[in-house]
Amino acid sequence: MNNIQFATALHILTMLAITKDNLSSSYIAGSININPAMVRKSLSILSVYGLIDTKEGKGGGASLAKPADKILLSDIYGAVNDANVLGKLNSPNPECNTGKQINRHLLELFDQADHALITKLGTITLADFCQKFK
């Protein structure tokens, strides 16, 4: 639940949408206040999911691969999410009446929470989010 990948990815994509320019990983890192290597890792993931394009060399950098109004926040979440929004399951005692059942019920709850979040994020475009910065 302490994962910052979504926040980092949304920060990057918001900068790219607002500036409409190619931005270097160093420039983006300065805004997020993180190491450029971490930005490059996020850029790589976003590129694989078709959300950004990158060019190397002078005049290179990252830019949006499609218009901001065509990128849903659920697309961004799907690209960087690797765990349930509520976290991970524990390793309960299988001899305990509660322990042997808890993970099955937690998984159901986790799935419902993830579905609710993804459904909500699917109603918001990157362009909608960028309107907050005017």
Side-chain angles (χ1 to χ4, degrees):
M1 290 178 30
N2 292 328
N3 187 329
I4 63 164
Q5 290 181 329
F6 178 74
T8 300
L10 187 53
H11 191 138
I12 291 168
L13 292 168
T14 299
M15 288 182 71
L16 296 176
I18 289 171
T19 63
K20 298 180 173 64
D21 288 328
N22 286 340
L23 298 179
S24 71
S25 59
S26 294
Y27 183 83
I28 295 168
S31 177
I32 303 173
N33 202 26
I34 62 174
N35 187 298
M38 294 176 70
V39 170
R40 286 189 290 276
K41 180 179 178 186
S42 293
L43 292 173
S44 175
I45 293 167
L46 295 171
S47 178
V48 166
Y49 281 84
L51 300 173
I52 66 160
D53 291 321
T54 59
K55 290 193 294 187
E56 293 186 24
K58 188 172 179 151
S63 61
L64 291 181
K66 52 187 170 182
D69 63 350
K70 302 296 184 201
I71 299 173
L72 297 172
L73 297 192
S74 58
D75 298 333
I76 302 165
Y77 182 78
V80 300
N81 181 50
D82 62 357
N84 291 314
V85 69
L86 294 179
K88 296 180 180 182
L89 298 174
N90 54 25
S91 299
N93 179 351
E95 302 300 318
C96 171
N97 187 44
T98 302
K100 67 183 173 187
Q101 299 178 59
I102 191 74
N103 280 345
R104 177 181 44 176
H105 300 301
L106 284 172
L107 271 176
E108 182 180 332
L109 178 63
F110 288 8
D111 288 345
Q112 291 170 353
D114 281 344
H115 178 73
L117 175 63
I118 292 166
T119 298
K120 175 61 179 173
L121 292 176
T123 67
I124 305 166
T125 66
L126 178 59
D128 296 333
F129 186 78
C130 288
Q131 290 298 313
K132 297 175 182 293
F133 295 86
K134 302 251 177 198

